[in-house]
Amino acid sequence: QTTVAIPAAKLWSLDQPNLYMVRTTVSTVDGKVVTLVDEVKLQTGIRTIGKEKQNILFNGAPVTLRGVTWTEDSPDHGGALSYEQMEKDIALIKNLGANTVRFAFHPPHPFLLQLCDQYGLLAIEEIPLYEVPADILTGENYRTLAENYTREMIRRDRNHPSLIAWGLGDGFEATNTRTAAVIEQLHGVVKSMDKRLTYFIAMSPENTPASSIVDIAGVRLSNPDVKEFKALLARWKQSHPAQPVIVGRYGKAIETGNRNGYSDPMSQEAQARYLFQRYDALKESAIAGGFVWGFADWRGDRPMLSVKSENPDIYSYGIVEYNREKKVAYDVVRSMFLGEKIAALPIG
């Protein structure tokens, strides 16, 4: 291990994502002849991340995560997006006024993290532990696979300054004490390799031993009305007094092309109103942040039966459509993230 001093170093930040190129070489010396054997170049940045009580600290100051979830899918390329499409997505997210991207359910393509480094966007990513039954999750072979996946994710991505937290799962049986033991094991793996924060997304704000183990207590709230949303959020925050609290996702699926006004719950206007009301509740609760579900529509592996659609395989939660055409919600989310006045939505 080598320590390198950088005189007058500039911090990596959201407004000024200063990056440094680190070049490492291995050479042989024979008299006065120096022969290069190998060379590695790495672009990285300098910043600090930590927590204090219920605050996430970025470069020593509290930061509230204004985020969106991003799903790796597009009409032309499926899950194998082109570099051009990836950059267009990140540029749209930056323009949105978001400061964080949640790469949900599995680590993203490495180029996306490079883009976050360059554009000044925070990122969180997680291993693919999604709604795994406790009997499977706690099996010895599965735990070994999860631990190996965690190690590989950290080794690959730990040099990105934009990356602030490692996710250890979403939506499985968090009330189960055996599940908590798995989260504790994975949390220990992370801390043995890296100083970043850890998080876990619980399915509901019930008794969740697993959420008390990680650094950030995440929860997902499945479409309650605004009053209930606030009550559940307050309960979750109260039950985690020593941890930053985030909402892992909040969103609403709609009928593509429906512009009937927000009196129609399946309209684009209803989706925009839903997101604004929940974001207002997040600000009022003063938690560490939340993530709009999600950036763009995506194709699922089973049809959506709760929403009428010409293509039921498309999950219409995005604030932009599958082809990246902006919905009404995009401009509303941009205004709320930037603290601007939101234009009145038609009731229909």
Side-chain angles (χ1 to χ4, degrees):
Q1 185 174 357
T2 302
T3 300
V4 178
I6 303 177
K10 296 180 179 179
L11 291 180
W12 185 93
S13 68
L14 299 174
D15 297 325
Q16 293 184 315
N18 298 299
L19 294 170
Y20 288 91
M21 183 65 72
V22 179
R23 177 172 172 263
T24 306
T25 62
V26 177
S27 304
T28 60
V29 180
D30 184 8
K32 294 183 179 181
V33 179
V34 179
T35 304
L36 179 66
V37 176
D38 198 6
E39 177 184 68
V40 174
K41 292 181 179 180
L42 172 71
Q43 195 173 51
T44 190
I46 302 167
R47 58 98 184 96
T48 63
I49 188 73
K51 71 182 183 77
E52 184 179 62
K53 296 182 180 178
Q54 291 191 312
N55 292 318
I56 296 174
L57 301 180
F58 176 71
N59 286 337
V63 61
T64 300
L65 307 184
R66 303 186 308 273
V68 295
T69 60
W70 186 88
T71 303
E72 205 155 340
D73 196 15
S74 72
D76 296 329
H77 307 285
L81 276 72
S82 66
Y83 291 113
E84 181 184 12
Q85 183 63 66
M86 291 183 206
E87 185 156 12
K88 285 181 178 179
D89 281 3
I90 293 299
L92 278 171
I93 292 172
K94 183 70 176 180
N95 178 67
L96 189 66
N99 63 10
T100 314
V101 185
R102 178 189 171 199
F103 295 109
F105 313 138
H106 61 82
H109 190 288
F111 184 62
L112 282 155
L113 293 174
Q114 292 177 32
L115 291 170
C116 288
D117 293 344
Q118 293 166 13
Y119 276 78
L121 278 168
L122 303 176
I124 63 175
E125 68 168 284
E126 56 215 53
I127 57 174
L129 291 185
Y130 179 68
E131 296 186 354
V132 183
D135 288 342
I136 296 176
L137 179 68
T138 55
E140 184 178 350
N141 289 340
Y142 205 96
R143 291 175 68 158
T144 301
L145 288 172
E147 182 175 323
N148 289 341
Y149 208 114
T150 303
R151 293 184 186 279
E152 290 171 6
M153 175 178 71
I154 294 172
R155 288 193 190 103
R156 193 194 75 168
D157 295 336
R158 61 186 167 188
N159 293 311
H160 290 283
S162 58
L163 191 58
I164 62 169
W166 307 108
L168 304 181
D170 182 327
F172 45 81
E173 300 171 61
T175 57
N176 191 306
T177 53
R178 293 184 301 156
T179 298
V182 177
I183 296 298
E184 188 169 19
Q185 173 187 349
L186 296 178
H187 175 77
V189 169
V190 172
K191 294 303 178 181
S192 70
M193 299 179 68
D194 193 71
K195 295 181 180 180
R196 285 178 180 83
L197 305 176
T198 59
Y199 68 93
F200 164 77
I201 309 297
M203 290 184 70
S204 64
E206 304 300 331
N207 179 31
T208 51
S211 296
S212 300
I213 294 167
V214 292
D215 297 313
I216 301 171
V219 66
R220 66 191 214 203
L221 303 175
S222 301
N223 294 336
D225 62 30
V226 177
K227 186 176 180 181
E228 186 183 1
F229 185 90
K230 291 179 180 180
L232 292 172
L233 203 51
R235 188 201 312 172
W236 186 253
K237 184 179 179 182
Q238 186 177 15
S239 63
H240 296 85
Q243 294 167 280
V245 167
I246 62 171
V247 173
R249 68 192 207 202
Y250 60 100
K252 178 179 176 59
I254 57 170
E255 295 171 356
T256 302
N258 185 330
R259 296 294 301 274
N260 292 340
Y262 68 77
S263 60
D264 183 342
M266 291 290 103
S267 69
Q268 288 196 25
E269 291 82 5
Q271 180 194 39
R273 188 168 184 260
Y274 177 98
L275 293 172
F276 171 69
Q277 289 177 333
R278 272 64 185 177
Y279 181 72
D280 202 43
L282 294 181
K283 287 199 302 179
E284 185 180 315
S285 67
I287 65 169
F291 294 83
V292 169
W293 174 249
F295 168 66
D297 294 345
W298 70 95
R299 185 180 297 276
D301 57 1
R302 68 192 76 174
M304 281 193 73
L305 303 180
S306 58
V307 176
K308 291 181 181 179
S309 173
E310 294 181 1
N311 190 343
D313 293 329
I314 299 298
Y315 282 58
S316 54
Y317 286 90
I319 58 175
V320 302
E321 295 182 7
Y322 195 36
N323 62 2
R324 275 38 178 193
E325 183 177 338
K326 294 177 183 177
K327 299 180 186 178
V328 173
Y330 182 92
D331 289 329
V332 169
V333 170
R334 186 176 189 275
S335 294
M336 71 191 200
F337 278 174
L338 296 176
E340 299 172 350
K341 184 176 180 180
I342 295 175
L345 295 166
I347 188 171

